[in-house]
Amino acid sequence: MKPPKEYKTNFLSPTALLRPFQKGREWVSLDQIIRLEGIGNYTTCLFADGTKLLVALTLRRLADRLPAGLFVRPHKKHLINRAFVTRVYTHRSAVQLINGEQVAIARRRVDQFRAEMQSA
């Protein structure tokens, strides 16, 4: 997948993420990202094919670069792709993802999360 020319040197475009490898770099569609998990000053990207990528950016910085509406933030540690949500457990305050993982919804973010999910 080739990004638009103005994003060639950037880490992120509106539709793709630049993944570094030992032999070079590769653009991956944002539709392939299931979830982003913040770990201190780093973020782990979990992809649909099961691979993971550790990025030297905080979750907040990465979230600011993503297009609005594609991802929702149920917890301060997690940012999930709406397309991969299979079920929302309101009684447990958790989200079931397509890969079987469950992500907790923070108590203070429950109402905001529901509103974001319904606006899609």
Side-chain angles (χ1 to χ4, degrees), residues 71-88:
F71 289 84
V72 290
R73 193 164 187 173
H75 193 274
K76 71 177 185 177
K77 251 183 105 170
H78 300 283
L79 195 62
I80 57 176
N81 191 336
R82 286 181 180 190
F84 291 102
V85 174
T86 57
R87 189 170 182 184
V88 178

Side-chain angles (χ1 to χ4, degrees), residues 10-14 30 57 59-67:
N10 199 349
F11 172 72
L12 196 63
S13 83
L30 291 179
L57 287 172
L59 187 59
R60 176 175 281 184
R61 285 207 137 159
L62 200 53
D64 290 342
R65 295 179 183 189
L66 292 170

Side-chain angles (χ1 to χ4, degrees), residues 60 71-76 78-79 82 88 93 95 105-120:
R60 176 175 281 184
F71 289 84
V72 290
R73 193 164 187 173
H75 193 274
K76 71 177 185 177
H78 300 283
L79 195 62
R82 286 181 180 190
V88 178
S93 295
V95 177
I105 303 172
R107 231 183 14 221
R108 295 179 182 171
R109 293 183 190 246
V110 170
D111 294 332
Q112 178 187 357
F113 179 78
R114 283 184 190 157
E116 287 178 3
M117 287 301 289
Q118 288 174 355
S119 70

Side-chain angles (χ1 to χ4, degrees), residues 7 16-17 21 24 27 31 35 40 42 48 58 62-63 68 75 77-78 80 99-100 107 110 117:
Y7 295 107
L17 171 74
F21 290 100
W27 286 96
D31 296 336
R35 166 172 81 88
Y42 297 92
T58 63
L62 200 53
H75 193 274
K77 251 183 105 170
H78 300 283
I80 57 176
N99 62 353
R107 231 183 14 221
V110 170
M117 287 301 289

